[in-house]
Amino acid sequence: MGKEIKTVKDIPLQELLLPGHVACAGCGMAISVRHVLKILGGNTVVTVPACCLSVIQGLFPKTAVAVPLKNVPFASAAAVASGLKAGFRLQGKELNVVAIAGDGGTYDIGLQALSGAVERGEDIIYFCYDNQAYMNTGIQRSGATPYGAWTTTTPKGKKERRKDLGLMMIANGATYVATVNPSFPMDFYGKFLKAEEKKGPRVLIGYSVCPPGWRYTPELSIELGKLAVQTGAWILWEFEEGVFRFTGYSKRLAEGKAKRKPIELYLEPQGRFRNVLRDPEKLKALKRGINERWRVYRKIAEVYSSSTPG
Amino acid sequence: MSKLKTIKEYPLIPASKPSEGAAGRTGLWRTFRPVVNLDKCIGCRLCWFYCPDNAITISGDGKVEINYDWCKGCLICFHECPVKAIDRVVEEFG
Ligand SMILES: Cc1ncc(C[n+]2csc(CCOP(=O)(O)OP(=O)(O)O)c2C)c(N)n1
Ligand code: SF4
Ligand code: SF4
Ligand code: SF4
Ligand SMILES: [Mg+2]
């Protein structure tokens, strides 16, 4: 991207996600993808499996995405990205190859292709916009749906906890792993700019609100992203060269410089958590799950506090 | 692209062309209209950053402007403006 981005005013005006696209009003994925394309720029090729983004870009004969983009079978975003990168390398072309997929296409259906690409050390960026269910087909639960959340296939709330993709990617040996959230613009840009400069498999996992799927009014899209981090439900962190770091507000929480806000503030605006709010046992279990996640991440930060000696 | 009549007219590789309004005039989806009050606006560009529809543009003198052809009326900008420079009015398409 070239020039340094210190404030929102430094962000280039060029848009590669064109207006008049088909995403719902207030869609978090559209916010993230718009900025990912701005950061990576025109010298980028994208692979997208079935998901809401494939609809944004796929209304033949028009597309809202102004860079070359290939629709690929559900399980194969990382595999096709690996192949494209290899092809460009043979042709002597230096391009960013990025796979962008939903949580269903990442945590579940595309997981083996992704873990294989990371294991082989493929030189690709993988961005999972995590809206925590299979939204495009009508809100079915995925491996990323959080405990207690309503979906059409978990009418009383999901019984299981969410998978942890970030830890899987660290364990698989990705060059760079980070969580992002568009409610925190500079954290978001900082991490993608860093990812762009690195080589090897880079995996970014994006908190991604979905007004119809999460059952809330769209004007709260950015507010919810802030609350997710402030209550500790979403943790901002990055992992590079053997070092794990909390970032932004999550770092303040981890260092005890700020206190987690009550989780109810995050749950209440979202209809998907109605079952949890009505049932003190479920609420307790949900809080326990968040505490447990923080406990694990604090340990991880300790273990990976400096580069492993060679 | 004009309407295709037979299967033979379809291109061998069906590549879509980048275009504004790929989903039509999405401004017609609005039930509420966000209106910027430029006297109050401090030019922070947060509304521009957060807009999922890239319906806010920055003019030459740095002012924000809403493009009502594409704005879907999600009201994120109205909710997030730090100085409350954006009002919300019922859309009447007049
Ligand atoms: C092999 C295969 N199975 C099922 C589908 C149907 N399908 C299309 S999109 C989608 C949901 C994808 O969910 P996710 O990856 O989370 O993206 P989101 O829709 O939430 O953006 C499904 C199940 C498909 N296209 N291909
Ligand atoms: S269903 Fe959700 S993720 Fe899909 S376009 Fe609508 S808001 Fe975005
Ligand atoms: S209401 Fe939503 S779509 Fe319209 S300008 Fe504001 S943020 Fe953009
Ligand atoms: S968020 Fe408010 S103050 Fe900032 S640029 Fe937009 S209208 Fe102006
Ligand atoms: Mg999803």
Side-chain angles (χ1 to χ4, degrees), chain A residues 9 15 17-23 26 30-31 34-35 38 60-63 182-183 185 189 219-220 222-223 226, chain B residues 1 16-23 26 29 43 45 48-54 70 72 74-76 78-80:
Chain A
K9 287 187 185 168
E15 301 287 350
L17 179 66
L18 306 178
H21 58 64
V22 80
I31 303 173
R34 179 181 159 221
H35 290 292
K38 268 180 184 289
F60 182 79
K62 290 180 178 174
T63 174
S183 296
Y189 266 72
E219 72 173 79
L220 297 180
I222 291 301
E223 176 86 31
K226 293 179 191 166
Chain B
M1 180 181 233
S16 299
K17 278 218 176 87
S19 335
E20 292 191 343
T26 52
W29 300 9
R45 300 192 185 182
W48 168 82
F49 182 93
Y50 291 135
C51 178
D53 288 279
N54 166 8
W70 314 125
K72 293 171 186 163
C74 70
L75 299 179
I76 291 176
F78 158 79
H79 192 86
E80 292 304 322

Side-chain angles (χ1 to χ4, degrees), chain A residues 260-277:
Chain A
R260 273 191 257 159
K261 284 189 180 170
I263 189 68
E264 288 83 347
L265 291 178
Y266 177 61
L267 305 179
E268 268 156 15
Q270 302 182 59
R272 67 174 173 155
F273 289 116
R274 210 168 19 204
N275 286 311
V276 175
L277 290 165

Side-chain angles (χ1 to χ4, degrees), chain A residues 51-52 101-105 129-136 140 142 144 208:
Chain A
C51 59
C52 283
D103 51 295
Y129 69 87
D130 184 355
N131 58 21
Q132 310 189 337
Y134 292 80
M135 293 307 180
N136 188 53
Q140 292 84 19
S142 78
S208 200

